Amino acid sequence: MAEREPVIGIDLGTTNSVVAFMQDGTPTVIRNRSSSNLTPSVVALSKTGKMLVGQIAKRQAITNATDTVYAAKRLIGRKFSAPQTQDAVKVLPYTLHAGEHDDIRITLGDKQYSVPEISAMVLRELKLDAEAFFGQPVRKAVITVPAYFNDGQRQATKDAGRIAGLEVLRIINEPTAAALAYGFGKTVNGKIAVFDLGGGTFDVSVLDVSSGVFDVIATGGDTYLGGEDFDNRIIEWLVFDFARENNLDLRKDRMALQRLKDAAEKAKIELSNTKETQINLPFISSPPGGGAALHLQKTLTRDKLEELCGDLISRTVSICEQVLVEAKVKPTDLKEMILVGGMTRVPKVIDAVKTFFRRDPCKGVHPDEVVALGAAVQADALTSTDSEVVLLDVTPQSLGVAVAGGYVRRLIPKNTTVPTSVTEIFNTSKDDQTTVKIMVLQGEAELAHQNELLGEFILTGLRKARRGEVEIDVTFEINSEGIVSVSARDRETGLQQSIQVTASGGLTEDELKRIMEEQADMLLEARSGEELTAKRAELKALMKEVEGLIPQLDKATQGSEFGRDAIAKAKTALEAARKAAEGPLLVRVNESADTLNRTVSLFKGVLERIK
Amino acid sequence: MADAEKVDIPEDRQKEILALEAKLSANHFEVLGVPAGAPAEQVRDAFHALSRKFHPDRYHGRELGSFRARIDSIFKRLVEANNVLTDPDKRQAYFDANPFVRAAIRAATGTNPALKPQPAAPKSAEEEARDAERRARLARHPYLAKVSKVQENLARARAHMEKGEFSHAFTVLNIASQVDPQNADVKALLSDARRRAEHERSDADYKRGMKALEEGNEELALQAFKAAVNISASNHVAAFEAARLLEKSGGDPKEISGLAQKAVEAMPTKVEYRVLLGRMLDASGMKALAKKHFEEALRLGPDHPDVKKHVKKRWPF
């Protein structure tokens, strides 16, 4: 083989992007044309009609707010009608429209762009920087996304790569990439956690590393929790006070909003090093009735910032808790704890992480660059024959099918190592049902319509038979490229249908709910849909037990206040349980069972002691 | 079989892939190449070591031909084995459901993995509720009264059995047993049909193995014999053949003794089986157990050539 073709790793960030490659066995960042390691993920149409990308686009954002697109990552792969998009519309100075399929369109000048097209401009800029560096064309890349990106968001990111002229070898998760960069070439053996709080998203992952093998055990996060939410809290605080004093909402003025945004971000960054900072925005607005221009001048202290953002930080901690439970590890089992993302410079965030993980996070790799470096490591591992690195990645969200009653039957649970395939037998849910509809869902919600619909197809020509008699094999497969395919096979005739999930169906919750209702007659019945029946029986047994204990407790406590109180509570719980047992929701049944279990142990404890 | 293919994988690795693929129907421990009963730590280390060789990413962008599917199914199988054996609940459930894995652990370690304490009461209540629901659902149908349906299915099943179509019979009986789980005729016939269907399939695999052996393809033969044993642990001839082949190819004595153990369990009076099991246990360092089997072999057939050859020399009692 001739000189090996260069492959790059790209961290396509919410605020900044970074490109890296493997240089003589060491991952290295490629500087952009303005000699900076970070390229702002900003695209703008200048007043002269030129398309600007990166630093130069960011610099003119204030004077050209409506034609400057930033934070496109928050929109990629989403639907226009999604609540997150609607929230974004309110705070973004540029204009969003709904496209034909409820996709998001961004207006720049007189042209409309899809979100992947905008992201592609950033990617193309990075590609050009890399090509200038190598002096030859670059075609292959690994791109990172937040671990909690769903299939639609990943596909859209891949599309962006394709539009930019890149063959995307793999989409990998940011925290995983960070671990790759951190653990690469070292003799780290054991479990490590990665806490990644970036500009727009929050991710946390637990990996088991042993000499070159990076085994992801669990991953979780929130695609709408990041530095910009901290900025928005500061903006709200500024705007609220300003409105009270001047009776004017600054957010309605796009230019003012852009200045507020910049000032808030700057103040937040400064407060990582100082105890207080001045926010100075002269001539921010002029009063509607005319008169002297208004200025905004305020002092923000670190304490105030922590008060404004306290709940955001506790949200990150509760997500960490959840992921550690899923990984079945305790904070003390961890060998290392890695911080990623600019937001992990905020002292309060570091404190919270230290307290939760009970250890000092390790430093060493630059938090802004570590993700791109990891992407370069994986790009090298995929293309070179002598790499020692193997990444055992997992599915971040569960996959399943919609079953009769509007529920989900999960075939591939979250945190399953890919590639993987699972087959399960389903039955028809109606008499003489000759057609079944297979709706492929992604997400953790119990009810089908609260999950993301990835795709759907129909299997026809089933034998007319009584409900439950015809059996259908449903197979889910995720290959090593992360592509999901689903097939259904009639066990009697061998007839088969399948789909490969390539693009997001991405319907809104309401749409999905409507479709679910319309198609109620065509769904499958899960064999273990009987789980609900079983749990109901369990709950009813518990109800009997509590009912039996009430008179005993009454007698034992002799009508004391405690007894009366406990019995009243138990009766309320019984009433709730009765409702749950009649209802269709497994979650409710389980909740009620938990409550009654507690009641039983309380009552028994009391009776024990009184005896 | 892959001769004509142009595959961008070194020859040695191709052989390793084919060898592991042939082993995929074995139990989780064997697939990962760890001793039966190995602790979770050891299982995970083996999984990581194998991932380094068999993860599909190691072959990204290469010409793989039929090896793509092989590597994929190997890795999926490794993940499954690792997932089950490193999760305490899944591991326990696996032992509970597979008595011969338990036997293999007993043979390899001399200890018996604890049986899960049966959560009898709530389990049966749950099952009963489930059964009741199923029965009610079927009985609700006005056109198909339970009795006639069961009788009809029984008749069909008997006809299938007579024709030797045991898997068909099993399917029909399964439906009948869901309609009326108390029916003694159905129950008896069902277990009979299941056993015979398994035998049938196991026997077919055994024959396939013998044919391969005649043609001199020992690797294929071994694979077939193992498949036969997996379907029906009581197929002692297949277990014995598999063990012998494995010994011939210099396989792991523990794996061989696992197979020999199955043969002995299914047919305790066969001298050859005892002698083989004894020798393998001896080779794995379990002298006491080996001695027990040798003594038994000596008692069963003092003049058997195998006994003369292997036992009398080593255990001159």
Side-chain angles (χ1 to χ4, degrees), chain A residues 170 208 210-211 213 215 328 378 382 387 389-392 418-419 421 431 466-467 477 533-534 538, chain B residues 44 47-48 51-52 55-58 60 75-76 79 87 126 129-130 133-134 137-138 141 144 149:
Chain A
R170 187 67 52 85
D208 191 350
S210 68
S211 42
V213 180
D215 187 356
K328 299 200 176 101
Q378 174 69 352
L382 288 177
S387 171
V389 174
V390 192
L391 172 58
L392 309 180
V418 290
S421 64
D431 289 345
R466 283 177 305 133
R467 159 189 184 188
E477 176 161 9
T533 321
E538 230 171 78
Chain B
R44 201 210 49 201
F47 170 62
H48 283 170
S51 298
R52 231 168 268 144
H55 193 286
D57 277 0
R58 305 298 285 162
H60 190 271
F75 186 70
K76 284 176 195 164
V79 168
D87 180 308
E126 198 175 291
R130 213 176 285 178
E133 209 263 347
R134 194 180 292 133
R137 199 169 68 208
L138 291 165
H141 213 288
L144 294 152
K149 178 74 180 167

Side-chain angles (χ1 to χ4, degrees), chain A residues 12 41-45 51-53 67-73 75-76 94 96 104-108 111-125 160 163-164:
Chain A
L12 181 61
S41 308
V42 181
V43 171
L45 183 71
M51 200 57 93
L52 308 172
V53 182
D67 279 335
T68 303
V69 183
Y70 61 89
K73 191 177 184 176
L75 305 171
I76 200 160
Y94 53 90
L96 301 179
I104 300 170
R105 297 275 154 169
I106 298 166
T107 311
L108 280 180
K111 268 191 84 176
Q112 307 242 321
Y113 296 89
S114 69
V115 186
E117 278 178 284
I118 297 287
S119 296
M121 292 183 208
V122 178
L123 290 174
R124 197 177 295 123
E125 184 75 5
I163 297 169

Side-chain angles (χ1 to χ4, degrees), chain B residues 6-235:
Chain B
K6 206 181 145 298
V7 175
D8 186 12
I9 302 175
E11 200 121 320
D12 297 0
R13 185 58 63 84
Q14 288 192 24
K15 280 196 189 125
E16 283 183 79
I17 291 170
L18 290 172
L20 185 51
E21 191 191 24
K23 237 170 69 174
L24 293 189
S25 56
N27 74 44
H28 292 334
F29 292 108
E30 286 169 359
V31 166
L32 291 169
V34 293
E41 285 286 292
Q42 197 182 347
V43 166
R44 201 210 49 201
D45 288 347
F47 170 62
H48 283 170
L50 290 166
S51 298
R52 231 168 268 144
K53 279 187 186 169
F54 300 107
H55 193 286
D57 277 0
R58 305 298 285 162
Y59 308 94
H60 190 271
R62 295 202 221 171
E63 183 66 51
L64 297 178
S66 68
F67 277 80
R68 182 177 301 282
R70 289 177 215 275
I71 294 163
D72 255 19
S73 60
I74 287 175
F75 186 70
K76 284 176 195 164
R77 182 72 185 83
L78 294 176
V79 168
E80 184 198 3
N82 176 61
N83 282 349
V84 170
L85 297 182
T86 52
D87 180 308
D89 293 342
K90 287 184 193 155
R91 187 177 163 112
Q92 185 64 54
Y94 176 65
F95 291 167
D96 291 345
N98 294 284
F100 46 88
V101 173
R102 184 179 295 284
I105 295 172
R106 211 183 305 128
T109 63
T111 60
N112 197 8
L115 265 171
K116 194 179 178 180
Q118 288 297 319
K123 183 84 183 165
S124 80
E126 198 175 291
E127 269 168 9
E128 225 159 71
R130 213 176 285 178
D131 289 350
E133 209 263 347
R134 194 180 292 133
R135 275 199 299 277
R137 199 169 68 208
L138 291 165
R140 239 179 277 136
H141 213 288
Y143 299 109
L144 294 152
K146 183 161 112 181
V147 182
S148 73
K149 178 74 180 167
V150 170
Q151 290 311 323
E152 183 196 317
N153 278 331
L154 256 177
R156 268 171 69 193
R158 287 205 176 99
H160 280 310
M161 296 278 278
E162 263 171 33
K163 278 188 256 165
E165 301 161 343
F166 300 114
S167 353
H168 286 288
F170 177 63
T171 314
V172 176
L173 286 166
N174 219 347
I175 297 173
S177 82
Q178 282 183 18
V179 182
D180 184 359
Q182 305 305 329
N183 190 314
D185 284 353
V186 174
K187 270 202 262 185
L189 208 53
L190 182 66
S191 76
D192 195 21
R194 174 184 303 159
R195 220 187 53 235
R196 290 204 194 189
E198 280 175 357
H199 275 181
E200 198 184 2
R201 280 166 51 218
S202 180
D203 208 34
D205 273 332
Y206 173 68
K207 284 189 182 128
R208 193 160 60 84
M210 288 310 276
K211 193 156 159 281
L213 210 53
E214 270 170 39
E215 289 163 3
N217 188 343
E218 296 199 346
E219 194 179 318
L220 193 68
L222 177 58
Q223 201 185 330
F225 289 139
K226 278 197 188 170
V229 178
N230 264 339
I231 295 166
S232 164
S234 62
N235 193 339

Side-chain angles (χ1 to χ4, degrees), chain A residues 237-443:
Chain A
W237 173 72
L238 291 171
V239 168
F240 183 77
D241 279 1
F242 191 84
R244 209 171 38 193
E245 284 158 25
N246 302 298
N247 206 11
L248 192 69
D249 186 356
L250 286 174
R251 282 174 303 189
K252 293 208 171 107
D253 178 349
R254 297 219 175 242
M255 170 109 100
L257 182 61
Q258 183 60 43
R259 286 181 66 193
L260 279 167
K261 200 188 125 44
D262 282 355
E265 190 185 348
K266 196 164 142 263
K268 177 189 73 185
I269 291 169
E270 278 173 8
L271 285 177
S272 293
N273 296 314
T274 60
K275 280 283 186 193
E276 60 173 59
T277 183
Q278 284 285 329
I279 297 173
N280 250 321
L281 292 167
F283 306 103
I284 187 80
S285 188
S286 38
L294 297 168
H295 315 295
L296 192 155
Q297 193 169 37
K298 280 189 82 88
T299 303
L300 180 61
T301 62
R302 193 187 278 181
D303 288 346
K304 184 70 196 174
L305 175 68
E306 286 169 3
E307 183 197 316
L308 290 172
C309 303
D311 63 311
L312 298 175
I313 295 172
S314 18
R315 236 162 85 200
T316 65
V317 172
S318 67
I319 293 171
C320 287
E321 253 166 37
Q322 199 184 316
V323 170
L324 255 51
V325 167
E326 282 166 12
K328 299 200 176 101
V329 294
K330 296 190 292 291
T332 44
D333 297 339
L334 297 167
K335 264 260 168 68
E336 296 279 9
M337 151 89 235
I338 308 173
L339 293 183
V340 186
M343 282 303 294
T344 55
R345 292 200 188 89
V346 175
K348 183 78 180 171
V349 172
I350 299 176
D351 283 350
V353 171
K354 268 191 193 167
T355 319
F356 177 73
F357 287 99
R358 275 170 252 158
R359 70 180 59 241
D360 281 334
C362 59
K363 299 180 183 86
V365 193
H366 202 294
D368 290 326
E369 295 167 7
V370 63
V371 170
L373 295 174
V377 171
Q378 174 69 352
D380 181 68
L382 288 177
T383 51
S384 82
T385 44
D386 52 358
S387 171
E388 282 299 304
V389 174
V390 192
L391 172 58
L392 309 180
D393 217 345
V394 299
T395 57
Q397 293 180 31
S398 304
L399 288 170
V401 291
V403 292
Y407 301 102
V408 184
R409 172 74 191 158
R410 271 184 206 107
L411 274 84
I412 300 184
K414 65 181 290 194
N415 295 326
T416 304
T417 307
V418 290
T420 183
S421 64
V422 175
T423 301
E424 218 174 87
I425 306 168
F426 288 83
N427 298 121
T428 45
S429 64
K430 291 266 183 304
D431 289 345
D432 292 337
Q433 182 180 358
T434 56
T435 300
V436 289
K437 178 152 219 162
I438 314 287
M439 302 180 80
V440 183
L441 300 166
Q442 181 168 44

